[in-house]
Amino acid sequence: MKQERQLDEVDRRILSALQVDGSISHQDLAERVGASSASCWRRIKALEAAGILTGTVRLVDPAQVGRGVNVLCNIRMRSHALDARSAFERFVDDRPEIVECFSMSGEWDYLMRVVVADVADYNRFLMQILLGHASVAGAASHFALSMTKYTTAIPL
Amino acid sequence: MKQERQLDEVDRRILSALQVDGSISHQDLAERVGASSASCWRRIKALEAAGILTGTVRLVDPAQVGRGVNVLCNIRMRSHALDARSAFERFVDDRPEIVECFSMSGEWDYLMRVVVADVADYNRFLMQILLGHASVAGAASHFALSMTKYTTAIPL
DNA sequence: CATGAAAGCCATGGTAA
DNA sequence: TTACCATGGCTTTCATG
């Protein structure tokens, strides 16, 4: 099982701040959370060591780089065998337009979010790439009309 | 319409690198993309000014902070009137456990991803919060068994 | 034992040529 | 593009509650 370190109020404030602005300096962070810069630094190190605080990433506006269309796609697998699943998951990992994928309970095996330029682009992905995969028995695609909310911040 | 600035190969390499590691120094970035540090700096400024490169965020492991369960939830609205929709979207924005929400084509009005601690936690969210909202006519919830892939990086 | 204050070092960003 | 300089943040030390 995963070790869930107990977080106090200051830890939570640090995480909340860093989830919104990862480029804040330790000193600015310090006064925002009500602690000293050194204390912040030590806590951040501990949170990183515990695997709670992971990477730092910069975000790109999808629409601005021609990836403004989101498609949510349900997948049904041909086989539920372990090797078929892991082959499929490796495939998913290799495809950069698939940005999220969940193994699902219920009638579908996977749900993935795919970012594409337009409908034609998705058609290409679906026909030539996804349905071309040996493990995939079927897919149901649902186009997003708009992205109402997107955050990387996990509530604490 | 959105102004899609044309990106050259170096821009794309910069964005790709920053989407994976937002804490890389300009100098390390420079040699990774094959340009000078000063050139990198100027390009980054321009990409920020154009709104292509947006925030810097630090990521938190959901499982480590007791938010290890993902639920994908389809919503049907009671009304499609503009004010009902915007009220609902404001509600979505206010709920931190809803990390993503898409306005959808097809039989459902919205699809959202909700991060919760466990099934009981989701039950509380569904019954007391989501279905308590005046605009919501119905919901269909699908639990993720595991998160196979999650990336914030948009392909370029 | 963790915190807060203080100081030095170093790397970084920013600017010049 | 290259080189430099100065700023300021990171990191350690030490005293304190």
Side-chain angles (χ1 to χ4, degrees), chain B residues 75-106:
Chain B
I75 308 283
R76 181 139 35 210
M77 296 286 280
R78 207 173 288 282
S79 151
H80 292 160
L82 183 61
D83 58 345
R85 295 182 63 92
S86 60
F88 178 72
E89 292 177 12
R90 212 164 22 235
F91 157 78
V92 166
D93 211 55
D94 285 343
R95 298 299 322 179
E97 62 269 62
I98 304 173
V99 293
E100 296 174 23
C101 182
F102 301 90
S103 167
M104 298 299 294
S105 64

Side-chain angles (χ1 to χ4, degrees), chain B residues 5 44 89 119:
Chain B
R5 255 194 43 149
I44 289 173
E89 292 177 12
V119 176

Side-chain angles (χ1 to χ4, degrees), chain A residues 34-36 38-39 42-43:
Chain A
S36 75
S39 178
R42 265 189 296 260
R43 284 169 181 270

Side-chain angles (χ1 to χ4, degrees), chain A residues 15-76:
Chain A
L15 291 176
S16 295
L18 290 178
Q19 281 193 113
V20 172
D21 180 4
S23 65
I24 190 174
S25 74
H26 288 173
Q27 318 186 23
D28 290 351
L29 181 63
E31 66 179 32
R32 278 196 53 183
V33 305
S36 75
S37 152
S39 178
C40 271
W41 179 80
R42 265 189 296 260
R43 284 169 181 270
I44 288 172
K45 284 292 168 201
L47 291 166
E48 287 170 345
I52 296 173
L53 199 49
T54 57
T56 303
V57 297
R58 297 218 53 177
L59 302 178
V60 166
D61 181 353
Q64 296 263 39
V65 295
R67 293 280 179 170
V69 175
N70 283 277
V71 187
L72 285 300
C73 179
N74 286 111
I75 307 283
R76 180 139 36 213

Side-chain angles (χ1 to χ4, degrees), chain A residues 16-135:
Chain A
S16 295
L18 290 178
Q19 281 193 113
V20 172
D21 180 4
S23 65
I24 190 174
S25 74
H26 288 173
Q27 318 186 23
D28 290 351
L29 181 63
E31 66 179 32
R32 278 196 53 183
V33 305
S36 75
S37 152
S39 178
C40 271
W41 179 80
R42 265 189 296 260
R43 284 169 181 270
I44 288 172
K45 284 292 168 201
L47 291 166
E48 287 170 345
I52 296 173
L53 199 49
T54 57
T56 303
V57 297
R58 297 218 53 177
L59 302 178
V60 166
D61 181 353
Q64 296 263 39
V65 295
R67 293 280 179 170
V69 175
N70 283 277
V71 187
L72 285 300
C73 179
N74 286 111
I75 307 283
R76 180 139 36 213
M77 295 286 280
R78 208 172 287 283
S79 151
H80 291 160
L82 184 61
D83 58 346
R85 294 181 64 91
S86 59
F88 178 72
E89 292 177 11
R90 211 161 28 233
F91 157 79
V92 166
D93 212 55
D94 285 344
R95 299 299 321 180
E97 61 270 60
I98 304 173
V99 293
E100 296 174 23
C101 183
F102 301 89
S103 168
M104 299 300 293
S105 63
E107 52 200 329
W108 297 95
D109 293 313
Y110 291 98
L111 172 61
M112 51 174 60
R113 178 161 71 93
V114 187
V115 292
V116 293
D118 50 39
V119 176
D121 192 21
Y122 185 73
N123 182 52
R124 207 173 314 127
F125 167 79
L126 180 64
M127 295 305 174
Q128 293 175 18
I129 296 175
L130 189 59
L131 295 181
H133 194 277
S135 307

Side-chain angles (χ1 to χ4, degrees), chain B residues 4 19 26 28 31 33 35 39 43 52 71 76 93 103 116 124 128 131:
Chain B
E4 284 190 18
Q19 282 193 113
H26 289 171
D28 290 352
E31 68 179 29
V33 304
S39 175
R43 285 169 180 271
I52 296 173
V71 186
R76 181 139 35 210
D93 211 55
S103 167
V116 292
R124 207 173 313 126
Q128 292 176 17
L131 295 181

